[in-house]
Amino acid sequence: MNAPHPPASAFAGAVVGAPVAHDSAVLHARGQAPYTDDLPEPRGTLHVALGVSPLAHGRIAGVDLSAVLADPAVVAVVTPADIPGVNDVGPIEHDDPIFAEDVVQFAGQPLFAVAATGVNAARRAARLARLDLVPLPAILTIDEALAAQSYVLPPVHVTRGDAAAALARAPHRLSGTVHSGGQDHFYLEGQVALAVPRERGGMYIFVSTQHPGEVQQMVAHALRLALHDVVVECRRMGGGFGGKETQMSLVACAAALVARKTGQPAKLRLDRDDDMRSTGKRHAFRYDYDVAFDDDGRILGLDLTLASRCGFSADLSGPINDRAVFHADNAYWLPDVAIHSFRCRTNTVSDTAFRGFGGPQGMFAIEHVLDEVARALGRDPLDVRRANLYGTTARNVTPYGMTIEDNVAPELIAQLEASARYRARRAAIRTWNRDSPVIKRGIALTPVKFGISFTATHYNQAGALLHVYSDGTLLVNHGGTEMGQGLFTKVAQVVAHEMGVPLASVRVSASDTSKVPNASPTAASSGSDLNGMAARDAARKLRQRLAAFAARKFDCDPQIVEFADGVVTAGDRTLPFAELARMAYMARTPLSATGFYATPKIHYDRRTLSGRPFYYFAYGAAVAEVAIDTLTGEHRLLAVDILHDVGASLNPAIDRGQIEGGFVQGWGWLADEELWWNDRGELETHAPSTYKIPTAHDVPEHFRVEFFGRPNREETIHRSKAVGEPPLMLALAGFHALRDAVASAADGRVPPRLDAPATAERVLAAVEDVRARAATHG
């Protein structure tokens, strides 16, 4: 069973580790890559729209749909009474109804669905409903929720040592409050699902989702079906970023309920405004801190409170806030620490997973604290950051009890500091700011240490299914999903390497719950780690099986059978892989195999937030340089230098794209993208006209990305490291460069007060504030 594997040749240099283009790149460029809304609609397809609440909080006294039903284009309406199963899509807690029944809890919450013969007809008809809603008091902000002790989940506290005692005896101490905002996913492809009824009550769902298995479960529960009655398929998404890990379930369930009621296919596609109003965002946070430190800026004690806006239901707020706690240390040793996490219930849409999954918010807190410490001491913030870094053999245990075994942060930071000429540039910026009264510049270097694995331990598993056809081509299916990040390309590279065939011989088919069951979401940056290993397992089984067949056929030892460049060598015989596949088929050798992988070493006690929740850490660091206009608050990112730890890269081209894109998306969160609700709880920034995401204009001309280039010490797929989420947090360097520029407006005499996102308005207010305080302090 555990016999040695026959060699796969030195094929890694040609396939694994090669900068292979994304498998859909040409299709994307030509507009030929079909997404869910592009699929041919079956005959009789109905189009669905949602009727939503205009109130943030209210009691439902009545919903009159007579005018809706009178519309000649309307075929059916679906209400809570039409749900044969469970009216809930909560992924963990059962607190998230498909359609509100007694109470509406946010403006934009669905109340019913309308099915009509056309998209616009359905949307117009949904607005004809007469709603009788009795307003109730609404909690809209984190501060209001904290005052009311309104929580979706109980608070969590993680402590080590005695933070209070450390604070009391410290030579230096400061405290403060800062905020980071939410962020809309703004995926190019919005939420969409097509439900097609099948025989014997079955349902086939085409949907844009990061988690086909969860859609399968939610639709089955809503329709009161077994899981084998529901098949979910997704070939690709036009972006996900976490927004399609749970949020698509309601869309899929609404379409499936219409299909069930009418017996006709049903499609629901949210337009951009409705998508932004009715789907969750990145969690906004409030941070309160009290920190003790010595003359060198080393933290001696820290009391840190993280309070997040979760919205009306729990969704994934539990694990997201847990991960924020796990990353409140970032790359730094905190000897005596108390971290308090409050998960606030508000009458807003339930916030959800977003690239980084709470990690960015946790890092935001500690980076702000260290920047404040440095400015209080008049030291370079980089020196304070380096003084607080984790050690390699001591000072290397996290507040949650995990020993850090792979710390490369000190070496990586030193390398970037030198290659980016950080010290020389800081000196030049100091000279610039002295001579420039209006345009001020700033620079910062910040690190990233991001844990890789799902904190929900059971999600750290994956399956794969691999077929070899008689013409020598291969088809692989795995539990991961493709959202533009290149997972399918990397998995194909892994399979081609293991089987010793050209990459063109391998095709990856759409994610499909009928092929690989019980698959985990493609999230937590674990797509390649999990699905690559599962695919490799399947490939090795088939290679071993084919080697055994070739050994029997050509009378040689199976261990000397080699697979390379599409050619098989068995003793004295050399033949094309396709010919061996044909021979094996004719000899009735099974040419299909399943693979499986479960991440080793991890364990985690959710009650105490302790253990080893992560298999390893991904590291990185960035130097960012910015300029601000002190008269308007406008700012520009001038230069970015990144050194990122990708292990032994599976695909340098794709990894580079992930790093660049992650940084820019992080910059959007920290500098541009502002979500704004009015005092009635209505989201006013629900379209690109009012919500600003980064564009090509925001990418600096100098944008240098280099790989740290050290293989992963853990046995991951080809010793690579995850690269989906960690680069987003590199953008903290840009935010702290903005703080540096703002501080220079008053010659660095007072620390700036700047929340994220650092919009032009906030930067201008911060400039005026530092100048006023500097004048007051003389």
Side-chain angles (χ1 to χ4, degrees):
M1 183 174 180
N2 293 314
H5 298 289
S9 82
F11 214 58
V15 180
V16 168
V20 176
H22 191 289
D23 72 334
S24 298
V26 173
L27 299 179
H28 290 155
R30 293 176 176 172
Q32 296 174 339
Y35 295 86
T36 300
D37 196 39
D38 300 319
L39 300 177
E41 295 172 1
R43 181 183 301 173
T45 295
L46 299 174
H47 295 273
V48 183
L50 300 175
V52 302
S53 168
L55 287 184
H57 195 199
R59 180 173 57 83
I60 302 174
V63 178
D64 183 354
L65 300 177
S66 56
V68 179
L69 289 165
D71 189 307
V74 171
V75 175
V77 297
V78 173
T79 69
D82 296 302
I83 300 176
V86 180
N87 182 18
D88 180 72
V89 288
I92 300 174
E93 306 293 327
H94 302 299
D95 60 352
D96 203 338
I98 302 169
F99 303 124
E101 294 193 63
D102 302 314
V103 178
V104 293
Q105 299 183 76
F106 74 94
Q109 183 172 16
L111 295 163
F112 61 91
V114 179
T117 54
V119 175
N120 292 331
R123 292 173 179 172
R124 284 193 298 266
R127 297 187 177 97
L128 299 176
R130 289 188 285 270
L131 306 178
D132 184 3
L133 305 177
V134 180
L136 295 171
I139 294 174
L140 301 178
T141 68
I142 294 172
D143 289 352
E144 291 171 355
L146 288 172
Q149 296 187 359
S150 173
Y151 308 127
V152 295
L153 293 165
V156 169
H157 307 277
V158 173
T159 62
R160 174 168 62 190
D162 190 339
L167 287 164
R169 64 175 179 261
H172 303 283
R173 180 174 177 177
L174 62 84
S175 60
T177 298
V178 67
H179 301 81
S180 65
Q183 186 179 21
D184 190 84
H185 302 87
F186 217 93
Y187 24 63
L188 293 181
E189 175 203 32
Q191 300 282 358
V192 57
L194 170 64
V196 182
R198 292 292 172 92
E199 63 183 50
R200 296 169 57 197
M203 194 67 65
Y204 204 103
I205 309 289
F206 298 93
V207 60
S208 182
T209 177
Q210 295 174 237
H211 197 179
E214 182 152 303
V215 174
Q216 179 190 34
Q217 291 185 41
M218 295 303 175
V219 169
H221 293 163
L223 300 185
R224 196 180 290 175
L225 296 173
L227 292 180
H228 68 199
D229 295 321
V230 179
V231 176
V232 177
E233 178 180 324
C234 177
R235 170 56 184 90
R236 60 173 58 84
M237 289 165 273
F241 311 117
K244 296 175 181 176
E245 187 173 344
T246 64
Q247 300 291 289
M248 70 289 142
S249 292
L250 187 148
V251 174
C253 285
L257 287 163
V258 168
R260 170 72 171 260
K261 183 172 183 176
T262 63
Q264 295 174 242
K267 179 195 281 187
L268 172 54
R269 174 174 56 83
L270 300 183
D271 74 6
R272 181 63 63 183
D273 298 86
D274 293 336
D275 196 310
M276 293 186 73
R277 288 190 186 103
S278 297
T279 64
K281 324 294 179 195
R282 184 187 296 281
H283 290 63
F285 269 67
R286 166 181 166 153
Y287 313 90
D288 295 281
Y289 60 91
D290 192 352
V291 60
F293 51 97
D294 66 16
D295 293 342
D296 294 319
R298 290 188 183 87
I299 291 179
L300 304 175
L302 175 66
D303 190 287
L304 176 65
T305 296
L306 312 175
S308 70
R309 181 193 63 212
C310 298
F312 82 97
S313 68
D315 192 76
L316 295 173
S317 290
I320 287 167
N321 281 268
D322 288 352
R323 187 172 276 264
V325 171
F326 289 147
H327 288 79
D329 60 340
N330 193 9
Y332 310 111
W333 163 251
L334 303 176
D336 289 280
V337 60
I339 304 172
H340 317 284
S341 173
F342 294 91
R343 297 98 194 268
C344 297
R345 184 191 302 276
T346 54
N347 292 115
T348 54
V349 65
S350 287
D351 287 321
T352 190
F354 200 126
R355 195 175 193 173
F357 204 78
Q361 293 96 316
M363 292 185 193
F364 183 96
I366 192 62
E367 292 299 337
H368 177 86
V369 168
L370 289 173
D371 204 63
E372 288 285 284
V373 167
R375 296 188 186 282
L377 293 172
R379 298 175 65 90
D380 188 317
L382 176 57
D383 293 332
V384 171
R385 288 185 167 97
R386 293 181 72 168
N388 283 283
L389 289 173
Y390 277 113
T392 53
T393 57
R395 292 164 43 99
N396 64 340
V397 179
T398 69
Y400 49 90
M402 178 175 172
T403 299
I404 300 172
E405 301 171 344
D406 59 359
N407 185 12
V408 298
E411 182 181 350
L412 186 151
I413 290 168
Q415 185 175 324
L416 178 63
E417 178 188 358
S419 67
R421 300 174 47 254
Y422 172 83
R423 302 288 176 179
R425 288 165 65 184
R426 176 165 285 287
I429 288 170
R430 191 178 300 114
T431 301
W432 168 281
N433 288 335
R434 184 191 63 209
D435 299 333
S436 175
V438 176
I439 305 300
K440 300 293 184 180
R441 297 168 78 166
I443 191 169
L445 188 160
T446 60
V448 166
K449 174 184 68 67
F450 189 79
I452 304 299
S453 289
F454 287 99
T455 53
T457 304
H458 68 281
Y459 273 167
N460 294 288
Q461 59 175 302
L465 174 64
L466 179 61
H467 303 313
V468 175
Y469 292 98
S470 59
D471 66 350
T473 60
L474 295 88
L475 183 69
V476 60
N477 189 279
H478 58 85
T481 56
E482 176 62 53
M483 63 194 90
Q485 84 281 34
L487 173 61
F488 279 25
T489 305
K490 288 184 174 182
V491 169
Q493 288 176 271
V494 168
V495 170
H497 166 74
E498 292 299 328
M499 299 303 293
V501 299
L503 187 59
S505 296
V506 182
R507 188 182 184 98
V508 182
S509 60
S511 306
D512 184 334
T513 58
S514 68
K515 303 292 191 301
V516 175
N518 313 313
S520 300
T522 305
S525 301
S526 63
S528 297
D529 282 3
L530 295 176
N531 297 288
M533 291 292 268
R536 184 174 76 171
D537 183 47
R540 285 184 169 179
K541 290 176 181 176
L542 274 176
R543 194 179 79 225
Q544 191 170 23
R545 194 178 300 160
L546 286 169
F549 167 76
R552 292 193 302 272
K553 182 78 173 175
F554 303 117
D555 192 25
C556 68
D557 188 332
Q559 297 308 310
I560 68 168
V561 178
E562 293 188 357
F563 298 78
D565 300 322
V567 174
V568 180
T569 302
D572 297 331
R573 182 68 185 269
T574 298
L575 69 164
F577 180 87
E579 185 177 339
L580 181 68
R582 178 70 179 173
M583 290 178 175
Y585 163 71
M586 296 300 294
R588 298 185 296 178
T589 300
L591 296 178
S592 183
T594 59
F596 183 78
Y597 175 73
T599 308
K601 297 186 179 181
I602 53 176
H603 56 90
Y604 162 52
D605 187 337
R606 182 168 290 175
R607 296 169 300 171
T608 61
L609 260 67
S610 63
R612 179 176 177 161
F614 307 121
Y615 188 29
Y616 63 89
F617 293 97
Y619 296 85
V623 173
E625 185 176 338
V626 303
I628 66 170
D629 185 329
T630 59
L631 300 180
T632 65
E634 292 175 289
H635 52 70
R636 178 169 295 179
L637 191 59
L638 299 177
V640 173
D641 294 85
I642 292 171
L643 182 59
H644 199 71
D645 169 31
V646 298
S649 176
L650 289 173
N651 186 319
I654 285 175
D655 287 350
R656 184 176 299 275
Q658 287 292 292
I659 294 167
E660 293 172 348
F663 182 96
V664 172
Q665 190 171 53
W667 176 247
W669 167 52
L670 293 166
D672 294 324
E673 301 180 43
E674 183 174 27
L675 294 164
W676 189 80
W677 283 263
N678 63 26
D679 57 7
R680 297 183 301 278
E682 300 165 338
L683 180 66
E684 297 284 8
T685 50
H686 51 74
S689 57
T690 52
Y691 185 78
K692 183 184 186 310
I693 65 170
T695 67
H697 178 73
D698 296 289
V699 178
E701 185 175 342
H702 176 91
F703 198 151
R704 182 175 65 96
V705 175
E706 293 184 355
F707 297 162
F708 187 57
R710 182 171 300 175
N712 196 339
R713 74 187 303 275
E714 299 294 349
E715 194 177 348
T716 53
I717 185 68
H718 292 283
R719 302 286 178 171
S720 62
K721 282 194 174 185
V723 73
E725 292 173 297
L728 183 137
M729 286 143 275
L730 296 169
L732 285 163
F735 180 78
H736 284 282
L738 286 175
R739 281 176 52 87
D740 191 51
V742 170
S744 73
D747 299 324
R749 288 176 289 166
V750 293
R753 295 168 177 165
L754 185 63
D755 291 332
T759 59
E761 294 86 349
R762 285 201 174 106
V763 170
L764 180 60
V767 166
E768 293 174 346
D769 177 69
V770 295
R771 285 176 170 168
R773 285 190 288 134
T776 300
H777 297 155

